[in-house]
Amino acid sequence: MKHLMAYCLTLLLTLTAIQPAWAQNAEMTFNLQPRFVAGQQARYSLWTRRTTVTEVSLMGRQRKQQASYVINGEMTWSVLSVNGDGSATCQMTFDWLSLNMTMPDGSTKINDTRDGTAEVPSVWAVLNAMVGRSVEVTMNADGTATAVTGTDAMRSAAGDDVDLPEDLDFIETACDLATLPYAPAQASINQSWEAAFRWTHELGHMNHAINYTLTSVRKVQGIDLATVTGNEILTLDLDQTKLPPQDNVNVDIALEDGNITSQILLDLDRHEAVGRNVVMKTRIRTTMDNGENAIVQTTHETIHSQALRISETDPTP
């Protein structure tokens, strides 16, 4: 599925590039903000590949290893109700999920909720707890998510020994799915705007400073599509409580480089994302020094994510 999805999204991005742009002028503007409609629904195909390369240096000796995993899945996004100020209560449901791991030795581990394959039981337990249990999302009129409910049911299904994503992770997922948060109501071609988020990270929290630009608006297969590009600078707020205890060892952790590039395609009729292509790259250096020897570990990570709308449903009259 990942190859088909990547092909479809690449084709869609290519089509937006070759289609003639509107006869745009400096005074033409486009509304990129969400327009929530009760009963509206969309289904998305999701794919993420996370590749981690770790380099370790100790007393002049070097060691390097690589591991990766690929997540596939489908999610249904529904608008349950809309308030007078344009905010809404929405719902997201994972229809199925799979996670295939490639270990440093080259072996693979498959986990898939569709057929029950669970080569890593702890991973499968997380996926299975998240599938089919809906999460309600409180959405602001500007497309930002502020709260979620329903994750307790997932945690109950997973059990006490299984760690599920935090609520903030589900809020991040909602912000990165159907809407483009903080987008302007009147944007002209090549206009830029800023946005900022703070999401969870294994080492604490990652701050995202984003610059978005509306690069084009084109009609593709009868749909008016806006292409928005994003460039992000990342900074890390370290949480010492997330680090393992290190007796008599001085640990220094620094994010040496972190950035994200993205392309988002917006359906201007439904005010909804059609596709997203996001690449996040980080380099984190960890130095552990006991006063006699120092171990330096450099972790290079690339997370490539794509979301593609595969169906949409309008409210029943």
Side-chain angles (χ1 to χ4, degrees):
M1 171 188 149
K2 68 178 183 179
H3 301 295
L4 176 60
M5 181 184 166
Y7 169 77
C8 291
L9 186 53
T10 300
L11 179 61
L12 189 56
L13 289 167
T14 302
L15 284 172
T16 61
I18 63 177
Q19 292 292 325
W22 290 35
Q24 297 152 355
N25 57 58
E27 296 181 357
M28 182 175 289
T29 61
F30 304 90
N31 185 356
L32 306 183
Q33 291 186 337
R35 185 182 62 203
F36 297 111
V37 178
Q40 188 168 288
Q41 189 175 87
R43 293 185 67 239
Y44 289 89
S45 181
L46 310 174
W47 172 79
T48 295
R49 180 178 62 226
R50 180 172 182 168
T51 303
T52 304
V53 178
T54 304
E55 301 170 342
V56 179
S57 174
L58 172 63
M59 301 177 63
R61 302 171 68 176
Q62 309 287 329
R63 183 168 60 88
K64 182 178 180 179
Q65 68 178 26
Q66 176 174 316
S68 65
Y69 65 72
V70 173
I71 299 175
N72 281 293
E74 291 183 4
M75 175 185 283
T76 300
W77 174 263
S78 306
V79 181
L80 301 182
S81 62
V82 181
N83 302 314
D85 62 357
S87 62
T89 299
C90 297
Q91 182 184 78
M92 56 184 186
T93 306
F94 288 103
D95 301 314
W96 64 268
L97 288 168
S98 70
L99 191 152
N100 298 340
M101 309 169 68
T102 301
M103 313 305 288
D105 62 2
S107 62
T108 59
K109 303 290 185 181
I110 299 174
N111 306 273
D112 197 320
T113 63
R114 290 171 296 181
D115 58 14
T117 302
E119 296 186 352
V120 183
S122 59
V123 171
W124 187 86
V126 172
L127 302 180
N128 190 57
M130 293 170 60
V131 166
R133 295 176 175 85
S134 299
V135 175
E136 288 194 7
V137 187
T138 302
M139 300 292 297
N140 288 331
D142 62 7
T144 56
T146 59
V148 294
T149 60
T151 56
D152 287 346
M154 294 181 179
R155 301 186 201 287
S156 297
D160 295 336
D161 297 332
V162 177
D163 291 328
L164 259 69
E166 300 178 23
D167 281 3
L168 186 57
D169 295 313
F170 289 99
I171 292 174
E172 178 183 4
T173 298
C175 286
D176 290 341
L177 189 66
T179 66
L180 181 59
Y182 300 121
Q186 293 183 323
S188 56
I189 301 302
N190 296 323
Q191 179 178 333
S192 298
W193 64 96
E194 306 293 327
F197 294 98
R198 176 180 168 87
W199 304 127
T200 60
H201 186 270
E202 292 90 338
L203 297 174
H205 289 87
M206 193 73 79
N207 301 303
H208 298 239
I210 314 172
N211 178 271
Y212 286 119
T213 302
L214 173 62
T215 58
S216 68
V217 175
R218 292 177 168 86
K219 188 177 290 292
V220 179
Q221 298 181 346
I223 301 175
D224 293 329
L225 289 182
T227 301
V228 175
T229 58
N231 292 282
E232 306 182 29
I233 301 299
L234 305 176
T235 57
L236 176 64
D237 287 339
L238 193 64
D239 183 351
Q240 295 291 339
T241 65
K242 291 191 174 184
L243 304 181
Q246 299 288 341
D247 295 336
N248 301 318
V249 175
N250 182 45
V251 179
D252 180 69
I253 299 177
L255 174 64
E256 295 187 326
D257 187 32
N259 64 82
I260 298 178
T261 58
S262 59
Q263 300 87 37
I264 304 103
L265 300 180
L266 290 177
D267 178 341
L268 295 184
D269 295 329
R270 288 170 60 95
H271 291 247
E272 178 180 86
V274 173
R276 294 176 181 267
N277 182 61
V278 181
V279 178
M280 173 178 175
K281 294 184 178 182
T282 58
R283 184 178 73 247
I284 296 176
R285 181 180 294 271
T286 303
T287 303
M288 294 170 284
D289 192 340
N290 64 2
E292 296 180 1
N293 297 298
I295 300 176
V296 179
Q297 175 178 294
T298 304
T299 303
H300 305 262
E301 193 163 74
T302 300
I303 303 176
H304 185 187
S305 300
Q306 294 182 338
L308 179 66
R309 191 180 69 188
I310 55 178
S311 67
E312 62 271 4
T313 305
D314 291 321
T316 303

